[in-house]
Amino acid sequence: MDNKTVEKPVYSMPRTFLYAFGQSSPIIFSYIVVGFAFGIMMQEAGYTPLHVLLSGLFIYSGSLQIAMVPLIVAHTPLLVMIFASFIINSRYMFYGIGYTERFKKQGVFYPYMIFAFPDEVYCVFSANSYPSYVDPVKCDLMTAVMCHMSWVSGGLLGVFLGDVITFDMSGIDFAATCLFVCICVNQWMEFKSHIPMYIGLLSAFVCLIIFGSDNFMLPALSLSLVLLVIMKERTKRAMAGNDTEEGIQSEDGAEEESNNER
Amino acid sequence: MSDSIYAFCVIGICSVVTIIIRALPFLVFGNKKLPDTVDYLGKMLPGAIMIVLVVYCLRGISLTSAPYGAPELICVALCAFLQLALKNSIPSIAISTAVYMILIRTVF
């Protein structure tokens, strides 16, 4: 209190928490739903709540955990599992790019932030700039912890309530797809240039056709990265707002609107 | 090896592999000043990755046999529309998922 400097921003802890909860809420919702589906799958395959708890705590990857269940049931050799989990999760290699400085500010929680960084958390972190009253370091950590805990809780709810709920839940995992769609829409409104989106779409379809639906992820992300590097100057110019092509002007309205929302 | 112990081993492997993958970019770029291109990629990649993730989620649908991925594509379009209109993810996700679950049980 005594040596408070003028430049030091004044953060409000309750508002930081509320902001973190607000930006996590769609993830919390979808994690509880998809985690629930995972819990039920494990329970039906005959595994215990401890399996579900440890998976949620230490793997924390929806796509891998859900793909893992049939592989466990089939008693896939452990060596094959190493390979399979690497293939399924290889996309995470791309997520840390650009987050080293931001996560280092977490101090002792730096390793935790690196670990607790699945698709959805990557989404919210890449999408926002915090208001001035929010402590960005604490907000990042709170967001990561809340999302992680909701994922674990979803799994546990599923494994415990799987017996009780007789309602057919198939299709509920579509919530994860919807979450990504929402984030795509948000980014579409926020990004000044849509070149990254076009690159992603092009890469995904080209690699889907060439490599097939099971193996397209890693090549698609690599191709996106290469194309983005090639188009660096063009994209930077477009992001700076000097680009008049691709109907940028018509999108300005939507952009302002979304800015006002925040 | 008992079934339960085997499952714990698989969970351990999945965990270790995932942690290594997540740590890789931090191990590579963590201890030096970021080159300009990496900084630029960090800002631009999310835009590309999200689209790839949506395609990844939809990879299981078949466009060559009935119902030609119709429930998925309808609900993705619905979700995008709701998000554009409401700018609030929770109703967009909840409504689209509910419609999807209804569609796959009734119409398709």
Side-chain angles (χ1 to χ4, degrees):
Chain A
M1 275 295 193
D2 32 310
N3 54 2
K4 209 177 192 178
T5 51
V6 189
E7 305 95 65
K8 199 174 164 66
V10 185
Y11 297 132
S12 151
M13 263 316 113
R15 291 179 84 185
T16 299
F17 176 80
L18 283 178
Y19 193 88
F21 184 73
Q23 71 168 1
S24 312
S25 55
I27 301 182
I28 294 173
F29 175 77
S30 110
Y31 270 8
I32 289 180
V33 166
V34 180
F36 196 90
F38 168 72
I40 290 182
M41 284 169 80
M42 286 294 274
Q43 190 257 344
E44 280 173 353
Y47 296 100
T48 63
L50 186 61
H51 288 101
V52 174
L53 176 69
L54 293 178
S55 308
L57 275 179
F58 297 114
I59 304 177
Y60 190 21
S61 160
S63 43
L64 177 57
Q65 284 177 232
I66 284 171
M68 177 185 86
V69 182
L71 294 175
I72 293 184
V73 173
H75 272 246
T76 311
L78 295 177
L79 262 171
V80 179
M81 280 310 305
I82 297 179
F83 189 69
S85 46
F86 182 79
I87 296 292
I88 294 169
N89 275 348
S90 50
R91 66 183 181 287
Y92 291 139
M93 279 189 284
F94 294 82
Y95 290 4
I97 300 172
Y99 281 88
T100 48
E101 293 307 315
R102 182 164 170 177
F103 286 0
K104 262 186 198 161
K105 293 181 190 141
Q106 296 289 345
V108 285
F109 295 111
Y110 180 48
Y112 176 74
M113 293 302 287
I114 294 173
F115 163 71
F117 201 37
D119 306 309
E120 293 79 0
V121 176
Y122 174 70
C123 289
V124 281
F125 282 179
S126 64
N128 61 45
S129 51
Y130 293 139
S132 58
Y133 56 81
V134 167
D135 180 343
V137 177
K138 293 241 163 53
C139 191
D140 280 359
L141 183 63
M142 286 174 184
T143 304
V145 172
M146 282 192 263
C147 293
H148 193 184
M149 289 309 109
S150 58
W151 174 248
V152 174
S153 322
L156 288 177
L157 282 174
V159 76
F160 283 120
L161 300 180
D163 270 346
V164 185
I165 293 177
T166 46
F167 181 69
D168 174 18
M169 302 285 279
S170 59
I172 194 128
D173 52 338
F174 195 69
T177 312
C178 294
L179 177 66
F180 295 136
V181 171
C182 289
I183 285 153
C184 277
V185 170
N186 292 347
Q187 285 186 331
W188 185 268
M189 294 188 292
E190 276 166 28
F191 271 54
K192 282 210 175 70
S193 161
H194 295 152
I195 294 173
M197 287 84 176
Y198 293 132
I199 285 178
L201 196 62
L202 178 79
S203 309
F205 279 108
V206 167
C207 294
L208 191 59
I209 291 163
I210 298 176
F211 297 98
S213 60
D214 288 330
N215 303 311
F216 84 100
M217 200 63 180
L218 191 56
L221 293 176
S222 309
L223 180 60
S224 300
L225 191 135
V226 171
L227 287 176
L228 275 170
V229 171
I230 294 173
M231 308 260 304
K232 184 179 165 192
E233 292 312 316
R234 173 97 170 65
T235 313
K236 273 190 147 176
R237 247 186 298 131
M239 285 301 281
N242 297 332
D243 203 310
T244 49
E245 290 166 52
E246 312 168 349
I248 293 282
Q249 273 155 340
S250 65
E251 287 143 17
D252 280 347
E255 217 164 79
E256 273 163 32
E257 242 175 78
S258 74
N259 286 345
N260 290 344
E261 285 294 311
R262 292 176 166 255
Chain B
M1 189 164 23
S2 94
D3 191 37
S4 177
I5 303 288
Y6 163 79
F8 281 122
C9 293
V10 172
I11 292 167
I13 284 172
C14 290
S15 171
V16 170
V17 171
T18 305
I19 289 170
I20 291 171
I21 298 171
R22 281 177 176 152
L24 265 176
F26 294 91
L27 294 174
V28 174
F29 299 116
N31 292 316
K32 46 193 157 205
K33 177 118 183 52
L34 281 186
D36 180 46
T37 303
V38 177
D39 185 49
Y40 153 81
L41 279 175
K43 293 196 180 77
M44 293 301 118
L45 262 179
I49 289 179
M50 284 322 133
I51 303 264
V52 179
L53 274 176
V54 172
V55 177
Y56 175 73
C57 286
L58 298 175
R59 71 194 183 285
I61 65 179
S62 165
L63 296 176
T64 50
S65 60
Y68 308 101
E72 286 84 3
L73 297 178
I74 289 171
C75 294
V76 164
L78 174 70
C79 186
F81 170 76
L82 287 172
Q83 182 65 9
L84 275 170
L86 307 172
K87 297 193 171 66
N88 185 342
S89 312
I90 292 181
S92 310
I93 296 170
I95 295 169
S96 317
T97 306
V99 171
Y100 176 75
M101 291 175 74
I102 295 167
L103 282 181
I104 58 172
R105 283 170 177 73
T106 54
V107 187
F108 298 103

